Amino acid sequence: MKKLIGPFSQIVTMRRMPLKGSLKDEKLEIVKDGGIVVKDGCIKAVGDMNSLSRLHHGATLENIDRPAVLLPGFIDCHTHLCFSGTRSSDYAMRISGKSYLEIAKSGGGIWNTVESVRNTSEAELMGLLLQRIKQHVAAGITTIEVKSGYGLNIDCELRLLRAIKMAGVASEADIISTCLAAHIKPKDFKGEDKNYLQHIIKELLPVIKEKELCRRVDIFIEETAFCQHEASKFLMAAGLLGFNSTVHADQFTPGSSLVAIAAGAHSADHLEASTDIEINALADSNTVAVVLPGASFGLGLPYAPARKILNAGACLAIASDWNPGSAPHGDLLMQAAIMGAAEKLNTAETFAALTYRAAHALRLNDRGIIDKGNEAQMQAYPTADYRDILYYQGTMKPFKVWTKEMPMSEV
């Protein structure tokens, strides 16, 4: 069924914007008094509402009866949403003065969540994940990457990936799953880091491929996780098995984003510790620089150098890193708005980092831009001026969100 949706006070299309480097607000295409023609979840036309009404007079009208700004749906390209339990004890230690690394070395951190997840059923994990997805969709996020990584053995990693896959079928959002079995070496694994990574390659990834549970892998390169040398070999082996990759890079120490680039990873994520060497290398590569302000919030650390990354000419995306430890905040728009104010990212750069540039981090070329032929993943805000959205720093939420083929109820 063909549907005409509008009128919108403004449509911010994100069309004809470059993939890399800094942007100017004047380059944003703003369609005033506009409408969208949608059929079978796909955008068929964008333009002036009156003209579309004449050209598509047989279409069913979805009337927007208030001032409204239409944006592409946001894409959260880095999350850890499939978990159980909390790490409030870690947070209490952190605000008392202990560092992330100190907490991890003392037995806290990721392992706390692993123990909780191993005692949680697949159905319970799926239910918890669906709750978080619903919260994200209500905030205008229509495509969500979700990692495993809190199982750290064959059975539990597969349990997490099955829960993620089932949630993707049951939810309104599009879910992109990633295997992060290389999060840390589990305490109960007998052997060195390199042996654990070989265990993943030989015993887990072939099963994931056979069961079609995901097509992406991730690895955490850091003092408390895996070294650059072993990570490089892991990424190469995963690539030979047909997996795409992303990397937790440069969170506390620099250099690992260079491993991501050398491996042809789709993105290098975190980058709080990146220096000019890593930033320039990212700008010269096809690897997307994904910054995670939620981790800076949760850990009380400086933001990734987003302004420098853009000025160098890299492709910058912003993601929530929603997880139970370092980034329990979860509100992507608020994180992006507040980091943008600190890093002096303008409106065009912030919206690009949440839409088509975030889509590119997942190598999705059919969303993030409101244009003919793209998925009709969109969100409408209760304002006549698109600049209000960042001005209210995440407290203004969309009143309607379109995901896949059907819009959700008004929120």
Side-chain angles (χ1 to χ4, degrees):
M1 180 179 69
K2 186 189 292 187
K3 182 182 293 187
L4 172 61
I5 309 171
F8 296 98
S9 308
Q10 297 175 330
I11 300 174
V12 184
T13 68
M14 305 306 296
R15 291 192 290 199
R16 293 182 283 276
M17 304 284 280
L19 187 60
K20 300 176 71 172
S22 58
L23 300 170
K24 298 294 185 183
D25 285 351
E26 305 87 75
K27 297 297 184 180
L28 285 171
E29 180 187 45
I30 310 297
V31 179
K32 296 181 179 179
D33 300 318
I36 304 285
V37 177
V38 173
K39 184 177 181 181
D40 298 328
C42 182
I43 298 171
K44 298 300 181 182
V46 183
D48 173 75
M49 184 67 178
N50 290 331
S51 297
L52 291 177
S53 297
R54 291 193 298 271
L55 291 170
H56 301 274
H57 58 273
T60 301
L61 176 64
E62 183 176 337
N63 186 51
I64 305 299
D65 60 358
R66 66 177 86 178
V69 169
L70 187 71
L71 283 178
F74 292 149
I75 292 137
D76 195 347
C77 60
H78 181 127
T79 83
H80 303 253
L81 289 185
C82 196
F83 65 87
S84 61
T86 74
R87 298 230 292 273
S88 55
S89 59
D90 286 14
Y91 188 76
M93 285 190 282
R94 195 150 53 240
I95 60 177
S96 296
K98 289 188 179 294
S99 72
Y100 180 92
L101 296 177
E102 287 173 330
I103 294 167
K105 287 179 178 179
S106 68
I110 293 167
W111 190 251
N112 281 348
T113 302
V114 171
E115 291 180 321
S116 176
V117 166
R118 287 184 178 182
N119 290 307
T120 305
S121 72
E122 191 171 310
E124 289 174 301
L125 288 168
M126 178 183 169
L128 291 167
L129 175 55
L130 285 171
Q131 292 175 25
R132 298 178 189 120
I133 291 172
K134 185 176 181 179
Q135 184 176 333
H136 245 17
V137 170
I141 300 161
T142 56
T143 297
I144 308 167
E145 187 261 12
V146 182
K147 303 178 190 296
S148 67
Y150 292 128
L152 303 188
N153 62 33
I154 302 297
D155 290 343
C156 197
E157 283 293 307
L158 292 173
R159 185 192 314 164
L160 284 163
L161 289 167
R162 286 194 300 267
I164 294 167
K165 184 174 183 177
M166 290 188 298
V169 173
S171 72
E172 296 176 284
D174 272 345
I175 304 301
I176 309 299
S177 60
T178 301
C179 174
L180 182 56
H183 205 171
I184 59 171
K185 188 191 79 172
K187 292 183 178 181
D188 54 359
F189 182 83
K190 306 301 181 184
E192 299 178 357
D193 289 356
K194 63 181 180 181
N195 303 123
Y196 176 64
L197 293 177
Q198 278 298 306
H199 178 63
I200 296 171
I201 290 290
K202 292 181 178 180
E203 305 298 331
L204 178 60
L205 293 189
V207 178
I208 290 172
K209 185 175 182 180
E210 178 188 356
K211 303 292 185 183
E212 298 183 341
L213 293 175
C214 76
R215 298 177 181 177
R216 309 173 81 242
V217 298
D218 193 350
I219 186 168
F220 185 17
I221 306 176
E222 196 50 74
E223 180 184 342
T224 56
F226 299 99
C227 72
Q228 295 182 25
H229 177 66
E230 294 300 336
S232 180
K233 292 195 294 184
F234 171 80
L235 292 168
M236 182 179 296
L240 290 173
L241 288 173
F243 287 86
N244 299 316
S245 62
T246 181
V247 175
H248 278 60
D250 298 356
Q251 183 173 10
F252 302 111
T253 53
S256 49
S257 57
L258 302 179
V259 175
I261 293 165
H266 287 177
S267 68
D269 302 14
H270 271 294
L271 309 179
E272 293 90 339
S274 297
T275 69
D276 288 347
I277 293 172
E278 291 79 27
I279 291 169
N280 290 330
L282 285 164
D284 290 336
S285 76
N286 293 318
T287 298
V288 178
V290 178
V291 298
L292 308 172
S296 298
F297 289 0
L299 298 175
L301 296 175
Y303 297 113
R307 181 72 267 158
K308 292 181 72 173
I309 289 169
L310 281 172
N311 287 349
C315 179
L316 180 83
I318 302 173
S320 74
D321 194 26
W322 189 354
N323 72 72
S326 60
H329 187 276
D331 191 318
L332 177 60
L333 179 58
M334 183 176 291
Q335 292 172 18
I338 294 173
M339 186 199 72
E343 284 288 308
K344 301 297 184 287
L345 307 183
N346 62 35
T347 303
E349 290 166 336
T350 304
F351 284 169
L354 296 172
T355 56
Y356 71 93
R357 289 180 170 181
H360 186 61
L362 300 173
R363 296 304 191 267
L364 299 172
N365 59 10
D366 60 353
R367 66 200 69 193
I369 299 171
I370 297 176
D371 200 6
K372 182 179 179 180
N374 279 355
E375 293 280 327
Q377 297 192 17
M378 308 176 296
Q379 52 176 326
Y381 285 82
T383 178
D385 188 338
Y386 72 92
R387 295 170 296 184
D388 286 344
I389 297 168
L390 294 181
Y391 170 69
Y392 287 108
Q393 296 188 313
T395 58
M396 178 184 285
K397 301 299 183 186
F399 68 88
K400 190 175 272 292
V401 182
W402 292 262
T403 65
K404 297 180 180 177
E405 292 191 17
M406 297 296 293
M408 63 180 285
S409 302
E410 293 194 6
V411 294

